[in-house]
Amino acid sequence: MEEKNQLAFFQHCWFCFLFLIVYTISYTVQGFDYADALSKSLLYFEAQRSGRLPYNQRVSWRDHSGLTDGLEQGVDLVGGYYDAGDHVKFGLPMAFTVTMLSWGAREYREQIAEAGELEHTMEAIKWGTDYFIKAHTNPNVLWAEVGDGDTDHYCWQRPEDMTTSRQAYKVDEQNPGSDLAGETAAAMAAASIVFRETNPHYSHLLLHHAQELFEFGDKYRGKYDVSVGVVKSYYASVSGYMDELLWAAMWLYKATDNKQYLEYVISNAHSFGGIGWAITEFSWDVKYAGLQVLASKFLVEEKHKVHADTLQQYRSKAEFFMCSCLNKNNGSNNNVGLTPAGLLYVRQWNNMQYVSTATFLLTIYSDFLNNTKQKLTCNNGVTISPEEILGFAKSQIDYILGSNPMNMSYLVGYGTNYPKRVHHRGASMVSYRENKGFIGCTQGYDNWYSNEGPNPNVVVGALVGGPDFEDKFEDRRNNYMQTEACTYNTAPLVAVFAKLLELQNQNLLVPESESASLMVASF
């Protein structure tokens, strides 16, 4: 009798074991719903809108806000984006957000259109560029910020109820901001490419502003956080302005094909750090890796052969970045850190921003190598195929969407298990559309911020700061290093989701046989 029970037990265990294998294989092959992730990522930008919301606004828990922005200074600064869970309009991260959305739309326009999301992508870009046009009130004047972090953080209010300072700050000839002017020029130049076919007049207008802003930033050089001191504690320009000037010139060259902009990128390559800085992050502050990837792609074009030596140096730095993400450089300081479960890890505060930007560059570079039939070469002659690079990029996206030790989707609203207590004022409080009763500055802290329940509104598509270096995550509203989201976190994901969706639809992601053998081998 005992032997029969043991036999039955082992048969049951073996059945469970086989079921687990089959389930795991099935899940791996099926993968994630990249179409849903793409759609949700674009909703996030509607949640972050400032100004008078349009008739087709889909995020219904938001309403008009910031309708007097710029009034005290005699300028119309209504519109634009709140960068995160607060209500300051910071120019530098907003511009980088638009640059990344535009770059993604330029590279993967067909894939985004095939997914039915091109119109929403272009609306997200235009909401930002419309604001930049307003903020550029004079060839040598750019409004850098509306509101300030110190007074804004004193209150916990819905954007519709704001009582905090809406003072606006600018850069000009006497108070330069080359980094801000450069990034805004890059955003408008990149966006001008996106709108060229569908709205040529608007595209031309954006290009005009981009050229003026670049000239302003280059002629009157200086860091914007020196001129606008209130930004220093929030978005200080640690990398300086040289990367943004190179970045702006690069995008202007791509938008105009005017050789003077390419000559700028080439002639200043060394003195501005374009071919000197080998770095392991790409962010709203540090643009070198993105610049180097763009320069690398020129090498295969005949008309750029005259600059081959400098472009090759740009490429070597771009490939240093790729190898650092793949952990193939010599020395730990030359590689991006990885959590035990394989997530790229740069720093504690809002680490996911670096994951999304790196994943974007890896995807772009993988396509470049694939299209030109090349491979990536890292230290000691190790070669890596475009498929391997894309596979690693996919692993980062899948981690974001739930393939991680917490079984948590860090893209809010995707799946069923995602952060419910996002550090976000508007999402954490009853919707203004439901209750127009005024919520005061400290009342928000007392009644909503300290509430341990889930947010009443879901800020769909927000990519939160994410887990720590041990893959651990605490879903608490006051855990802002992990639960706050930013526009520049989500912006790079739009293009990557579209690319992975295309491959998924073509059945080109991880063949079933490979998935099965990998799963079986892991037991």
Side-chain angles (χ1 to χ4, degrees), residues 417-438:
N417 186 28
Y418 52 82
K420 304 294 197 301
R421 297 162 186 82
V422 180
H423 183 92
H424 188 284
R425 287 162 174 74
S428 70
M429 309 169 78
V430 62
S431 169
Y432 183 82
R433 297 257 177 131
E434 291 183 20
N435 182 355
K436 289 181 168 57
F438 177 75

Side-chain angles (χ1 to χ4, degrees), residues 6 10 59 63 78 117 165 207 300-301 307-308 310 363 386 423 467:
Q6 287 179 338
F10 283 120
V59 178
D63 209 331
V78 176
E117 294 295 342
S165 168
L207 195 53
V300 298
E301 299 178 26
H307 300 303
T310 303
T363 303
H423 183 92

Side-chain angles (χ1 to χ4, degrees), residues 164-365:
T164 51
S165 168
R166 301 305 288 172
Q167 181 175 343
Y169 303 85
K170 66 181 177 180
V171 293
D172 54 27
E173 296 172 13
Q174 289 73 41
N175 305 284
S178 302
D179 29 27
L180 176 65
E183 184 59 61
T184 310
M188 297 177 98
S192 76
I193 301 172
V194 176
F195 287 100
R196 184 178 292 156
E197 293 181 10
T198 57
N199 193 341
H201 174 74
Y202 188 68
S203 172
H204 181 76
L205 179 62
L206 291 176
L207 195 53
H208 174 71
H209 280 280
Q211 290 171 318
E212 283 192 344
L213 281 167
F214 174 70
E215 290 172 17
F216 164 51
D218 189 40
K219 185 176 181 179
Y220 302 96
R221 294 182 183 177
K223 287 174 59 178
Y224 92 115
D225 59 6
V226 174
S227 299
V228 183
V230 293
V231 79
K232 245 184 179 136
S233 299
Y234 302 93
Y235 287 104
S237 182
V238 178
S239 71
Y241 57 78
M242 293 179 182
D243 54 335
E244 276 87 8
L245 288 179
L246 289 171
W247 181 238
M250 173 62 77
W251 277 111
L252 279 164
Y253 176 60
K254 293 183 77 65
T256 64
D257 204 32
N258 186 327
K259 291 181 181 178
Q260 76 175 47
Y261 295 116
L262 178 61
E263 291 292 343
Y264 188 97
V265 173
I266 298 298
S267 62
N268 291 295
H270 178 72
S271 59
F272 280 16
I275 58 176
W277 284 101
I279 51 175
T280 55
E281 75 172 70
F282 176 49
S283 67
W284 58 265
D285 181 32
V286 189
K287 312 298 158 51
Y288 287 114
L291 166 74
Q292 290 154 0
V293 166
L294 288 172
S296 299
K297 298 173 77 172
F298 289 154
L299 271 169
V300 298
E301 299 178 26
E302 188 63 35
K303 67 178 181 178
H304 296 126
K305 295 294 185 186
V306 65
H307 300 303
D309 288 346
T310 303
L311 292 175
Q312 186 59 52
Q313 292 180 69
Y314 270 113
R315 177 171 179 167
S316 70
K317 294 301 185 289
E319 299 207 331
F320 177 93
F321 178 84
M322 302 300 155
C323 295
S324 74
C325 293
L326 297 164
N327 237 246
K328 298 297 184 183
N329 284 330
N330 289 334
S332 59
N333 290 336
N334 293 324
N335 289 312
V336 180
L338 291 172
T339 68
L343 181 71
L344 290 167
Y345 192 84
V346 175
R347 56 180 60 92
Q348 184 180 20
W349 196 307
N350 189 19
N351 181 63
M352 278 299 187
Q353 65 174 304
Y354 308 108
V355 178
S356 65
T357 52
T359 301
F360 179 92
L361 292 187
L362 287 162
T363 303
I364 293 286
Y365 207 72

Side-chain angles (χ1 to χ4, degrees), residues 358-373:
T359 301
F360 179 92
L361 292 187
L362 287 162
T363 303
I364 293 286
Y365 207 72
S366 168
D367 267 357
F368 164 63
L369 294 178
N370 190 49
N371 293 336
T372 55
K373 295 180 170 53

